[in-house]
């Protein structure tokens, strides 16, 4: 059963009609013409909807339960030639953060990313993609491993935030994220960060420092979720649509404000509508940027990385 | 005629003879001790009796740290520009203006260069009174430039954090200030200059998750609230009351995230010794 978002109602209607028509086929009626008309109409309708998504609707797409998550991207891009590595060598293995070496067109790459669960049980297992400090420390351990063997790093970002828990505080959630920002700034290997779903605040930035920060078309990246923003500034959750607009959290706005380096187009109807096409687009982007980055030496990459983040901000004097 | 009937018509006391009672002469600590304002000032704004550290701002910290209260302030005119034209229940520009009028500050951090116990130092001190000490582009940029200045002057850098975290009204820009300040700290480190991070009440959110936790030495005022997530959010997440002393300086020291806690009255002497231990 496909899942439809509230603004996808027209598509649901069309899908119903298409299903009905297909049922008629068994009675021997020629449906070719009607079916073509309906599928064309569906395509047009999808275009119409997806070309005009509001900020809040994009937030909804970024959280679509059928949207592919980090491990799906890694497995597709490496065609299964991936070995997951576990643990931060300190406290435990954080299931909300995954990583390991994978083969990308015959070249070894370190992949790291937050992982959400695909069903109720797995969502709990993955802590809804909210890492604890050990998740960030595991990510850093793997990135340092990549640096040691001179392998590039690709980070997939998809998190509603770093976990706000009791143990997370005891084990230094703030320190873990801060340490990653600091260490990632000076990694000698190329680093690409791709927001594939939700990019919520420090929890996202904790694996978000790199030479190319890219956002997929229907994702969001900001300092706070629209819901939390609404609850703090408007003192209730009813203003999330407004908050989403205000925060300028879409890929387009983030690019316009020079806070990210590029946007990866999604297949029509979002990444969940055609995951294979999404994987392909992401893989193409990774290859393109890695090739560019490998032209530079480590010192230049680091200097450019530091300069890029140092230039972010708008102020008057 | 009642005793309360006024004998003379109108008030005749000239303005200059009016006996004003200025506000804020007395302060009260959470345990109920009443302290005189002048006593507080001469005691680094710490209560004599129970040691409670009153929340103070950049002005007070500069006067505590810099010799003879002499220093050169950096980037005094930098102010916010509202890059997102952010409007919630109030326009961001109005919030900034109101805060500027109320506090006479430009934004939530002031940075300065001067001497402490005869040694050069750059200090950045945050003001919680300015939109909760929140970090937007101005705070990030001023800290970044303060670090640049320390590198230029080949001296140590001290950050006095006091902030609710990143400033929502600058959204993505605020988030990236965490990256910017961390980037600059790596440059300070490459120049082998010490970074002393002093965490005061409160230090939370994006400030904790960036420069505040990155000191060569992390120190804190006693009893300060320090954490990543705020206590209310954690309580809602876990659905339980938080243990006593959770997210205090003492809690962080116990869990290994601070080097030591220092009473504000001893800050200058400790800082002096620290700087010597890094350089001599």
């Amino acid at each position: 059963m496909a899942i439809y978002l509230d603004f996808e109602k027209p598509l649901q209607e069309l899908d119903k009609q298409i299903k009905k028509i297909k049922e008629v086929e068994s009675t021997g009626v020629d449906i070719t013409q009607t079916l073509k008309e309906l599928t064309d109409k569906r395509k047009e309708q999808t275009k119409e909807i997806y070309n005009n998504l509001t900020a809040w609707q994009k937030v909804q797409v970024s959280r679509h339960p059928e949207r592919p998550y980090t491990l799906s991207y890694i497995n597709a891009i490496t065609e299964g030639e991936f070995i997951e590595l576990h643990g931060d060598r300190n406290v435990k293995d954080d299931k909300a953060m995954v990583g390991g070496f994978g083969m990308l067109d015959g070249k070894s790459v370190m992949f790291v990313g937050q992982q959400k669960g695909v069903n109720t049980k797995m969502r709990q297992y993955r802590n809804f993609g909210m890492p604890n400090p050990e998740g960030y420390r595991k990510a850093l351990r793997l990135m340092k491993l990549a640096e040691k063997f001179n392998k590039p790093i690709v980070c997939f970002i998809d998190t509603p935030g770093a976990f706000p828990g009791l143990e997370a505080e005891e084990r230094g959630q703030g320190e873990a994220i801060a340490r990653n920002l600091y260490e990632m700034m000076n990694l000698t290997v190329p680093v690409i960060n791709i927001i594939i779903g939700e990019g919520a605040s420090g929890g996202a930035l904790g694996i978000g420092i790199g030479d190319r920060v890219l956002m997929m078309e229907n994702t969001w990246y900001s300092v706070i979720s629209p819901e939390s923003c609404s609850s703090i500034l408007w003192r209730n959750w009813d203003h999330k649509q407004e908050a989403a607009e205000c925060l300028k959290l879409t890929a387009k706005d983030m690019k316009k404000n020079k806070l990210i380096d590029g946007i990866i187009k999604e297949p029509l109807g979002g990444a969940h509508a055609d995951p294979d096409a999404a994987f392909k687009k992401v893989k193409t982007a990774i290859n393109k940027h890695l090739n560019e980055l490998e032209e530079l030496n480590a010192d230049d990459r680091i200097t450019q990385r530091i300069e890029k983040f140092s230039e972010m901000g708008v102020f008057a004097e | 005629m009642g005793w309360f009937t006024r004998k003379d018509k109108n008030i005749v006391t000239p303005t200059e003879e009016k006996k004003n009672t200025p506000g804020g002469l007395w302060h009260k600590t959470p345990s109920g001790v009443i302290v005189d304002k002048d006593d507080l000032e001469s005691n680094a704004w710490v209560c004599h009796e129970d040691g409670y550290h009153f929340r103070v701002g950049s002005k007070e910290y500069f006067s505590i740290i810099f010799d003879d209260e002499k220093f050169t302030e950096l980037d005094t005119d930098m102010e916010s520009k509202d890059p997102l034209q952010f409007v919630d229940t109030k326009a961001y520009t109005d919030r900034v203006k109101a805060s500027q009028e109320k506090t006479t500050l430009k934004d939530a951090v002031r940075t300065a260069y001067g001497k402490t116990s005869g040694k050069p130092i750059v200090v950045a001190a945050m003001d919680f009174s300015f939109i909760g000490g929140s970090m937007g582009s101005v705070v990030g940029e001023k800290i970044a430039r303060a670090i640049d200045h320390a590198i230029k002057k080949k001296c140590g850098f001290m950050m006095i954090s006091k902030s609710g975290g990143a400033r929502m009204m600058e959204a993505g820009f605020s988030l990236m200030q965490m990256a910017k300040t961390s980037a600059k700290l790596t440059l300070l480190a490459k120049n082998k200059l010490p970074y002393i991070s002093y965490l005061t009440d409160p230090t939370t959110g994006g400030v904790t998750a960036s420069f505040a936790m990155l000191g060569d030495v992390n120190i804190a005022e006693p009893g300060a609230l320090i954490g990543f997530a705020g206590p209310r959010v954690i309580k809602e997440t876990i659905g339980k009351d938080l243990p006593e002393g959770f997210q205090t300086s003492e809690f962080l020291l116990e869990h290994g995230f601070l080097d030591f806690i220092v009473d504000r009255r001893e800050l200058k002497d400790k800082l002096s010794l620290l700087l010597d231990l890094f350089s001599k």
Side-chain angles (χ1 to χ4, degrees):
Chain A
M1 237 325 246
I3 296 161
Y4 296 92
L5 299 168
D6 53 10
F7 56 86
E8 289 180 319
K9 281 275 157 358
L11 301 181
Q12 187 172 11
E13 275 308 309
L14 283 168
D15 284 347
K16 257 190 217 161
Q17 286 181 35
I18 291 171
K19 202 177 154 212
K20 247 186 219 158
I21 286 290
K22 281 182 177 165
E23 279 165 9
V24 174
E25 194 181 19
S26 56
T27 62
V29 183
D30 182 14
I31 58 154
T32 335
Q33 187 58 29
T34 335
L35 190 62
K36 194 185 172 296
E37 275 169 23
L38 278 174
T39 38
D40 284 353
K41 198 170 165 199
R42 192 192 193 281
K43 208 171 158 186
E44 279 311 306
Q45 190 72 256
T46 313
K47 249 188 218 164
E48 170 84 30
I49 293 173
Y50 271 80
N51 285 340
N52 297 296
L53 289 182
T54 64
W56 172 248
Q57 286 168 341
K58 288 200 175 188
V59 172
Q60 287 176 283
V61 178
S62 78
R63 295 170 179 166
H64 196 289
E66 288 169 332
R67 202 175 163 85
Y69 299 140
T70 295
L71 282 173
S72 308
Y73 279 95
I74 298 174
N75 282 321
I77 288 168
T78 61
E79 293 169 36
E81 280 193 302
F82 167 67
I83 294 184
E84 190 177 344
L85 304 171
H86 294 268
D88 71 337
R89 299 292 187 268
N90 192 12
V91 176
K92 60 160 82 154
D93 182 48
D94 191 333
K95 309 291 190 278
M97 185 78 82
V98 296
F101 281 121
M103 209 57 96
L104 172 79
D105 293 340
K107 250 177 44 185
S108 177
V109 172
M110 174 59 78
F111 292 94
V112 174
Q114 290 105 351
Q115 178 67 31
K116 290 180 175 175
V118 290
N119 53 39
T120 310
K121 202 178 153 196
M122 288 306 283
R123 274 190 271 279
Q124 273 189 348
Y125 177 75
R126 297 292 184 186
N127 199 28
F128 304 90
M130 294 186 282
N132 273 284
E134 45 276 18
Y136 293 99
R137 292 183 181 126
K138 164 167 139 185
L140 185 59
R141 177 178 80 84
L142 297 183
M143 291 189 276
K144 287 280 182 187
L145 187 65
E147 183 180 49
K148 179 175 172 185
F149 293 98
N150 201 26
K151 305 296 175 224
I153 298 164
V154 174
C155 298
F156 289 115
I157 295 167
D158 189 8
T159 181
F163 188 60
L166 199 109
E167 283 102 10
E169 294 292 321
E170 281 179 351
R171 296 197 288 267
Q173 188 72 283
E175 195 276 345
I177 292 171
R179 188 64 51 203
N180 280 18
L181 307 185
Y182 187 90
E183 294 293 338
M184 290 179 80
M185 235 15 119
N186 287 281
L187 286 169
T188 54
V189 294
V191 186
I192 297 176
N193 321 73
I194 306 175
I195 290 110
I196 58 167
E198 300 189 83
S201 200
L205 191 67
I207 54 165
I209 306 296
D211 305 301
R212 295 283 192 278
V213 181
L214 312 172
M215 280 176 79
M216 292 190 72
E217 196 183 349
N218 299 311
T219 62
W220 68 274
Y221 192 12
S222 195
V223 75
I224 192 166
S225 74
E227 289 94 332
S228 304
C229 179
S230 166
S231 87
I232 294 172
L233 291 180
W234 283 270
R235 310 216 171 268
N236 63 58
W237 288 53
D238 305 336
H239 293 264
K240 57 194 181 199
Q241 277 107 328
E242 228 173 313
E245 292 295 336
C246 288
L247 288 168
K248 302 281 190 292
L249 44 61
T250 65
K252 218 171 143 187
D253 283 325
M254 288 293 281
K255 178 79 176 66
K256 198 179 113 201
N257 287 326
K258 299 192 183 108
L259 297 171
I260 59 161
D261 302 300
I263 300 172
I264 302 174
K265 285 280 275 180
E266 287 185 25
L268 185 61
H272 62 281
D274 189 352
D276 287 334
F279 300 149
K280 223 169 152 185
K281 282 178 198 287
V282 167
K283 185 172 180 173
T284 308
I286 294 173
N287 273 323
K288 172 180 169 263
H289 289 290
L290 275 188
N291 285 338
E292 286 172 20
L293 291 169
E294 273 161 0
E295 294 285 307
L296 301 166
N297 66 39
D299 285 346
D300 289 345
R301 267 195 309 264
I302 291 170
T303 308
Q304 287 181 14
R305 198 184 298 156
I306 288 176
E307 275 174 9
K308 178 179 78 182
F309 284 103
S310 297
E311 276 162 19
M312 291 179 183
V314 174
F315 45 84
E317 55 184 330
Chain B
M1 194 172 84
W3 59 269
F4 47 79
T5 310
R6 197 189 282 277
K7 278 189 291 187
D8 305 318
K9 272 188 181 168
N10 304 323
I11 293 167
V12 291
T13 318
T15 312
E16 55 268 23
E17 276 178 35
K18 256 172 69 184
K19 289 189 177 66
N20 272 324
T21 312
L25 264 180
W26 301 90
H27 293 273
K28 195 175 170 186
T29 72
S31 65
V33 183
I34 311 269
V35 215
D36 177 71
K37 184 168 168 268
D38 293 337
D39 283 354
L40 266 187
E41 267 188 40
S42 62
N43 199 40
W45 296 270
V46 176
C47 173
H48 287 279
E49 239 171 274
D50 65 3
Y52 178 74
H53 284 55
F54 283 90
R55 268 187 198 171
V56 291
S58 56
K59 181 170 168 273
E60 290 80 8
Y61 284 111
F62 285 169
S63 80
I64 291 169
I65 290 166
F66 289 116
D67 297 345
D68 309 320
E69 300 187 27
K70 272 199 301 204
F71 56 86
T72 314
E73 194 174 338
L74 310 168
D75 302 301
T76 47
D77 294 330
M78 198 187 295
E79 56 186 340
S80 169
K81 237 183 134 175
D82 190 21
L84 304 178
Q85 278 107 48
F86 199 98
V87 180
D88 50 275
T89 52
K90 212 170 160 186
Y92 175 44
T93 45
D94 292 340
R95 276 185 200 274
V96 170
K97 225 178 276 160
S99 241
Q100 285 179 336
E101 276 161 21
K102 197 185 96 195
T103 61
T104 69
L105 297 161
K106 290 275 188 192
D107 211 296
V109 75
R110 281 169 73 218
T111 53
Y113 171 70
K115 282 188 172 170
T116 182
S117 310
K119 291 161 277 241
I121 191 165
V122 172
V123 182
M126 302 186 81
D127 284 290
F128 193 75
S129 56
F130 197 99
I131 320 186
S134 57
M135 168 162 66
S137 300
V138 173
V139 170
E141 182 67 17
K142 280 176 91 165
I143 293 171
R145 289 195 195 175
I147 297 168
D148 284 341
H149 199 75
I151 294 171
K152 196 174 124 197
K153 296 283 184 186
K154 296 189 177 64
C155 69
F157 173 63
M158 180 184 196
M159 180 74 226
I160 301 171
S161 297
K162 189 184 277 295
S163 167
R167 187 174 296 170
M168 250 178 293
M169 295 74 109
E170 290 187 35
F173 288 103
S174 302
L175 182 65
M176 295 308 159
Q177 303 312 306
M178 295 168 64
K180 177 196 278 187
T181 49
S182 305
K184 290 290 182 181
L185 286 173
T186 70
L187 297 180
L188 189 75
K190 280 176 198 168
N191 283 275
K192 308 273 178 218
L193 296 166
Y195 168 36
I196 290 148
S197 177
Y198 191 45
L199 293 84
T200 73
D201 186 61
T203 299
T204 59
V207 167
T208 305
S210 59
F211 53 80
M213 276 292 159
L214 291 173
D216 293 313
V217 179
N218 290 340
I219 57 185
E221 277 185 358
L225 170 76
I226 303 166
F228 174 65
R232 194 177 51 84
V233 176
I234 300 169
K235 207 176 142 183
E236 278 168 17
T237 307
I238 62 171
K240 273 187 271 185
D241 281 334
L242 302 172
E244 194 155 331
F246 182 64
Q247 294 188 312
T248 58
S249 309
E250 294 72 14
F251 175 92
L252 267 90
L253 179 69
E254 205 49 49
H255 284 88
F257 295 99
L258 296 176
D259 289 284
F260 57 89
I261 293 170
V262 62
D263 189 302
R264 200 186 285 153
R265 290 165 289 191
E266 291 155 19
L267 178 62
K268 192 172 179 179
D269 288 346
K270 270 276 161 66
L271 179 63
S272 171
L273 178 57
L274 253 184
L275 290 173
D276 284 344
L277 290 169
F278 273 110
S279 62
K280 281 190 179 165

